[in-house]
Amino acid sequence: MSESVPYQQLLESLRQAFPQPVSDPVHDGYVVFSMLRALDQVDALKSQAPILGTPCEPDYAKARRERIDVEGRTLEAVIPELVSYLQGMFIWGHPRSQINVVPNPTLASVIGTLLPLLYNPNLCSDESARRFAEAEVRASAMTADLVGYDPSQAGGLFTFGGTGTLLYGVKVGLEKALPGAGQHGVREDAVIVASEQSHYSCLNVANWLGLGQQNVIRVGSNLDNSIRLADLEQALRGILSEGRKIAAIVATMGTTDAFGIDDLRAIDALRRSLAAEFSLPQLPHLHADAVIGWAWSVFNDYDFEENPLAFRGRTVRSLASAQHDIGHLRLADSVGIDFHKTGYAPYSSSLVLFRDYQDFSLIARSRETMPYLYQSGEHHPGMYTLETTRSGCGAMAALANLLLLGKTGYRVLLGHAVEMAEVLRERVESHPNLSVLNGENVGPVTLFRAYPDCVDTFNVKQRERSDRQYRTQLVAHNDYNRRIYQRVHAEALGGHGVTLSLTDCYRQNDFGDPIVALKSYVLSPFADESRMASVVKHVLAAREAVDAEDDVAARAK
Ligand SMILES: *Cc1c(COP(=O)(O)O)cnc(C)c1O
């Protein structure tokens, strides 16, 4: 049918499908109303449950059978199609949602994301980004100051995730360790040194940079999941005495599962003394993977004694302890920061900061290799970024939250999350069949395990960690907790109970066996004490159901 319609007619209706370039209040009404329509349909999916709509599994087979139609549809017809994909989606901000380090974005950060979506700046250069380039510089400077860098010396850019921030840190470190590697290729081994608790993105980065995953040296960690300094020193000495190069030492400032924080000050002192001892031409690059922990910098100048926000005693102790370590971020040459984790911004909003912006020149390409770009303007991050096109969304979302929340807002949100975790820890600790694994933890995450009645939870953790005779029981307890998790999870997907998560390996025991843990990660500002109590209630109920199953099985034998 459309074959007989001159295209100009169709074009006219397609024009309505775009934001109007020239002021048109009637059309603006249509834009806003269309968004409202979508939000209204989403609202119909809300209930008391921590998910939208009814639980459903993705139908990949059906998805693969789909093809583009000849004729398009109206916006009104497309909206419900799009909204249908929210069916079964987790509501991260729900008070009973404690799944992982996933925040619910603030409204300001959503609007910060929306504006660049409408006007599509490209942060590669101020030619195409105009003042959005300035927003990136502003958000970078504010954050640099927050973590203790001198904003007039530091440089930052937003990239594709925490993994991207690490990639930039190690890439610069590699160029320092093997000058010319970017031009001539990596012709010599160079290693990344990090703790065994570091994020797997270290492996990813080593893989993608051509260093090879086997060149990630993972050293032991303490029970609080921080890097064991004696092991680190031994590893570094071994590497240097063999004459091998160090692309980067990665300090993990807040591990993903357990909020372990490395002693950055000691690591910095160690690299300095070893560099002198081995007469290295360059200090080994020190990257702080602070994608989780960075936000605690807002407590750098909080008066913990006065405690004007009136956090509970246990909370103050935890916040102060975390801040004590996070407070040394300025010693790192580069820092990775995820606003989309503990910064309450939507994906992806990740900032890599370098203490010295000149470090970017180590990875810059020459202008001649990029003939169609950078003909005007003065600010061209695209000359050293991995990405050619970079959206303004991450920078604008971060800026929105820095402005909206200020230090106090962040203190309140993080302090509340930690306070709720403390409430949970108290409740778990006081129950004879439950045990907290990361007891020394100072963050918003609680790892815990349930045990059958016959187990003495007083010494079980110690035995699981270091008693070889106890291996069979450890494996059985892992399984026991997996089954409890599956019940809690199934209940949650049905709209009841709480959404927790499970970690398959909170850490290994002395013999390399994984220790499974139930995990509660609180970030939601809507969490409250009664919800924390219900976490314990649901886990205990699931535990009883698992026990009952086992009784039936035992009797059947
Ligand atoms: C999440 C995480 C990363 C990876 O960040 P993405 O934003 O998911 O790419 C790196 N390091 C740590 C410690 C993390 O928790």
Side-chain angles (χ1 to χ4, degrees), residues 160-164 199 201 252 254-256 289 291-292 338 340-341 350:
F160 59 83
T163 307
H199 193 264
S201 47
T252 309
T255 61
T256 317
D289 181 358
V291 299
I292 292 194
D338 274 356
H340 67 222
K341 277 183 175 162
S350 297

Side-chain angles (χ1 to χ4, degrees), residues 157-171 192 199-209 250 256 287-292 334-341 347-352 354 386-387:
L157 54 87
F158 281 79
T159 181
F160 59 83
T163 307
T165 64
L166 188 72
L167 184 68
Y168 276 97
V170 176
K171 172 76 180 157
I192 298 175
H199 193 264
Y200 65 78
S201 47
C202 287
L203 296 170
N204 225 353
V205 163
N207 184 322
W208 284 66
L209 283 179
V250 176
T256 317
H287 178 83
D289 181 358
V291 299
I292 292 194
S334 52
V335 182
I337 286 163
D338 274 356
F339 280 90
H340 67 222
K341 277 183 175 162
Y347 295 139
S348 332
S349 179
S350 297
L351 169 66
V352 60
F354 285 84
L386 167 63
E387 306 97 320

